């Protein structure tokens, strides 16, 4: 595993493999995955992939050296992190942020919709898939991008949801 992919809420919802593919998983697995693996670890990933897309939707991830494994099981309904159920956001949890740099790669949902970019600064800029469809023809590796929005910074990385690009 090369690098975590962080969403604007500070949750890890994917990673990049050293040989190129993007691995996606639901954010409710963030804590378990951070405990099981770290960048630089060799991992075995099981899941599914839509043909011709660079994204593997993980159903399980195993850190080879430790044998620690995380399997995607939907959260318990009503529990924090369950679909549509989140605990109250702490005041100031999202900060006004900006990011600039050259696009290293376009990031996709597990359905193949462009929903962000990884910049050479290490920042991740996310945007809704419908905007990704409009931007995709011009989103190319090497192009310079400037964005403003709301997001978080953590040890795993920084990400913002763009309100202006």
């Amino acid at each position: 595993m090369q690098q975590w992919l962080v969403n604007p809420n500070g949750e890890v919802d994917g990673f990049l493999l050293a040989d190129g593919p993007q691995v996606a998983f639901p954010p409710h697995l963030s804590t378990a995955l951070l405990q099981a693996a770290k960048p630089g670890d060799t991992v075995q990933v099981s899941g599914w992939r839509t043909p011709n897309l660079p994204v593997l939707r993980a159903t399980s991830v195993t850190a080879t050296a430790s044998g620690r494994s995380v399997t995607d099981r939907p959260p318990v309904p009503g529990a924090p992190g369950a679909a549509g159920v989140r605990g109250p956001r702490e005041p100031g949890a999202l900060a006004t942020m900006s990011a600039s740099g050259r696009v290293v790669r376009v990031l996709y949902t597990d359905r193949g919709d462009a929903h962000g970019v990884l910049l050479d600064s290490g920042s991740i800029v996310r945007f809704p898939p419908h905007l990704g469809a409009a931007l995709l023809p011009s989103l190319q590796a090497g192009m310079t991008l400037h964005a403003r929005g709301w997001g978080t910074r953590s040890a795993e990385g920084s990400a913002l949801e763009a309100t202006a690009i």
Side-chain angles (χ1 to χ4, degrees):
M1 173 181 18
Q2 181 179 9
Q3 172 182 349
W4 292 119
L5 297 176
V6 181
N7 67 29
N9 292 319
E11 302 159 316
V12 171
D13 64 359
F15 56 86
L16 299 177
L17 294 173
D19 60 352
Q22 176 187 333
V23 176
F25 50 83
H28 71 264
L29 296 178
S30 180
T31 301
L33 277 160
L34 288 169
Q35 293 171 351
K38 63 184 182 313
D41 286 354
T42 300
V43 294
Q44 180 178 353
V45 180
S46 297
W48 53 270
R49 181 175 159 176
T50 302
N52 302 319
L53 293 180
V55 180
L56 172 65
R57 171 60 164 82
T59 55
S60 72
V61 177
T62 302
T64 306
S66 69
R68 291 182 182 166
S69 184
V70 176
T71 301
D72 181 14
R73 290 186 178 82
V76 176
V85 179
R86 292 189 180 254
R89 188 173 301 284
E90 294 183 28
L94 295 180
T96 302
M97 295 175 61
S98 63
S100 296
R102 294 201 182 280
V103 173
V104 173
R105 70 184 298 161
V106 177
L107 302 175
Y108 296 89
T109 67
D110 55 12
R111 290 180 298 262
D113 301 315
H115 75 135
V117 293
L118 172 63
L119 301 178
D120 63 355
S121 64
S123 293
I124 295 171
V125 176
R126 296 278 180 106
F127 39 77
H130 72 277
L131 184 56
L135 291 172
L136 193 56
S138 63
L139 284 177
Q140 302 296 323
M143 72 173 282
T144 301
L145 184 123
H146 305 283
R148 290 188 321 268
W150 295 89
T152 57
R153 285 184 176 82
S154 69
E156 289 75 39
S158 68
L160 65 88
E161 182 74 23
T163 56
I165 295 178

